[in-house]
Amino acid sequence: MTVHPPVTGHCDELQDALTAFRASAHITERWGERLAAVLTGGGRLLAAGNGGSAAQAQHLTAELVGRYRDDRPAFSAIALHADTSSTTAIANDYGVDEVFARQVRAHGRPGDVLMLLSTSGASANLLSAADAARAAGMRVWALTGPAPNPLMAGSDESLCVEAPTGATVQELHLVAVHMVCAAFDAAVERGARRDGDGRR
């Protein structure tokens, strides 16, 4: 493993990891296309993470409810940690491991997608959410740190980032979020063009 200097070395570490991560583009493209099919069909994305990963999850849902690059319709996407009244009530009444799983049971429907983000891939509340989603007939995708990890094993599909630090894993998770959004927008645009051609 390469040892980098503490400050500028962060850029070097990120560059090393990004070079390897680029080979995962086909996963983010597939996820974006599948997500477009689900959301344009009236389905929903639920997303969750802890700490910095919660911020990444909320970034993803904001791009879908708002927009990524170009104007397009709004789509249903919910960051489960963002409802502080629900999360604190659930944690108080049922325990921290249930904060996401109970919301998945409330909001998730068969065919919806649950995206879970975790640098460790071992957060108990995310593993419980994955179990709840699969029981509800949802598709579970995980963005994690290095494989193997429990969340990868508990998901339908996973993208595991190989990087030596949690900070770099999170930075590449943001890259993955933007790649998914780019693929999503392209798929929505293709669908809109097909629909437009069909009405002529």
Side-chain angles (χ1 to χ4, degrees):
M1 181 177 75
T2 305
V3 177
H4 296 292
V7 179
T8 58
H10 184 79
C11 293
D12 298 329
E13 180 183 299
L14 178 59
Q15 186 171 15
D16 290 347
L18 181 60
T19 299
F21 179 77
R22 197 174 191 281
S24 303
H26 66 286
I27 299 173
T28 57
E29 184 171 18
R30 184 173 67 246
W31 286 2
E33 290 171 352
R34 180 60 197 163
L35 197 57
V38 170
L39 270 55
T40 58
R44 164 181 295 164
L45 171 73
L46 305 181
N50 295 294
S53 296
Q56 303 284 30
Q58 194 165 349
H59 189 120
L60 172 60
T61 59
E63 302 283 31
L64 295 171
V65 176
R67 69 174 187 180
Y68 175 54
R69 287 183 179 149
D70 300 320
D71 193 30
R72 54 146 169 75
F75 293 96
S76 182
I78 300 172
L80 298 180
H81 69 278
D83 183 348
T84 55
S85 294
S86 289
T87 55
T88 54
I90 294 165
N92 186 63
D93 294 341
Y94 299 97
V96 175
D97 289 358
E98 280 292 303
V99 292
F100 301 134
R102 192 165 178 86
Q103 292 183 79
V104 166
R105 294 184 198 104
H107 300 302
R109 300 294 181 266
D112 287 350
V113 175
L114 175 65
M115 175 85 84
L116 300 172
L117 295 87
S118 173
T119 57
S120 69
S123 300
N125 56 10
L126 298 182
L127 294 169
S128 295
D131 290 343
R134 287 197 312 276
M138 298 176 65
R139 182 175 283 103
V140 181
W141 296 339
L143 267 176
T144 76
N149 61 71
L151 189 56
M152 173 190 76
S155 301
D156 296 304
E157 293 188 65
S158 61
L159 199 171
C160 302
V161 174
E162 295 297 328
T165 66
T168 300
V169 169
Q170 286 182 340
E171 286 159 354
L172 290 178
H173 282 180
L174 180 57
V175 173
V177 162
H178 284 162
M179 292 167 76
V180 168
C181 289
F184 176 88
D185 281 5
V188 168
E189 176 61 25
R190 285 194 302 272
R193 284 199 303 267
R194 281 197 302 271
D195 290 347
D197 291 343
R199 285 194 294 268
R200 288 177 188 157

